[in-house]
Each structure stands twice: as C-alpha cells, then as structure tokens.
Amino acid sequence: MCYFIDLFEEFNRAVRKKIIRTIRDSPGVTNKQLADSIGINKGTVSWHIKILKNTDIISEEIAKNQRNYFLK
C-alpha cells in the first residue's frame, strides 16, 4: 500500500512542477491553457492550483471573468 501512496505523491509532484514551469514560461496563463499544455483536465489543474496558491507559490488575478496565474 505504501508503494502506491509514494507513486501517487510522485505523480502529483511531477504535475505541480509542470504547472510551475508553464506559469514561469507563460505568466498570466489560464486554467484551460495549463490543461491543454500539460495534457490533463481542467479539474485536475484546479486542484493543483489550489494547493500551489495555499502554499503561496503562485498568485491569481481575475480579469474579464478569467483567472490568470503568476509565480510569486
């Protein structure tokens, strides 16, 4: 069981690294753009974005009903 938890955590870290790199390379990127770029669905991106915002790694700006993400 522990192996699967470690595998799951490793996958989550890899996804968050991809999100951070994409935001670094394209400041102001949207959830949809992140999902398209990384190849995961928007709900999964939102879940990871929430974690990254709570750990104060990224910030969010809302413009024209659209959320844009930036590194802090």
Side-chain angles (χ1 to χ4, degrees):
M1 183 69 162
C2 186
Y3 170 77
F4 292 110
I5 292 170
D6 291 343
L7 189 61
F8 181 72
E9 285 301 316
E10 186 60 34
F11 172 77
N12 284 334
R13 278 191 293 272
V15 170
R16 284 187 211 118
K17 285 180 183 179
K18 289 179 184 178
I19 290 172
I20 291 167
R21 284 187 197 120
T22 303
I23 294 171
R24 179 196 65 202
D25 295 342
S26 302
V29 68
T30 65
N31 184 305
K32 181 179 182 334
Q33 291 167 329
L34 283 166
D36 291 344
S37 173
I38 297 168
I40 58 177
N41 69 49
K42 293 189 305 184
T44 302
V45 170
S46 294
W47 184 74
H48 287 287
I49 288 291
K50 180 179 177 182
I51 292 168
L52 293 170
K53 286 188 336 189
N54 287 341
T55 55
D56 215 28
I57 294 173
I58 65 170
S59 64
E60 172 185 88
E61 292 181 13
I62 300 173
K64 298 182 182 177
N65 297 324
Q66 186 167 265
R67 297 173 191 272
N68 303 92
Y69 300 104
F70 302 87
L71 291 181
K72 286 194 167 186

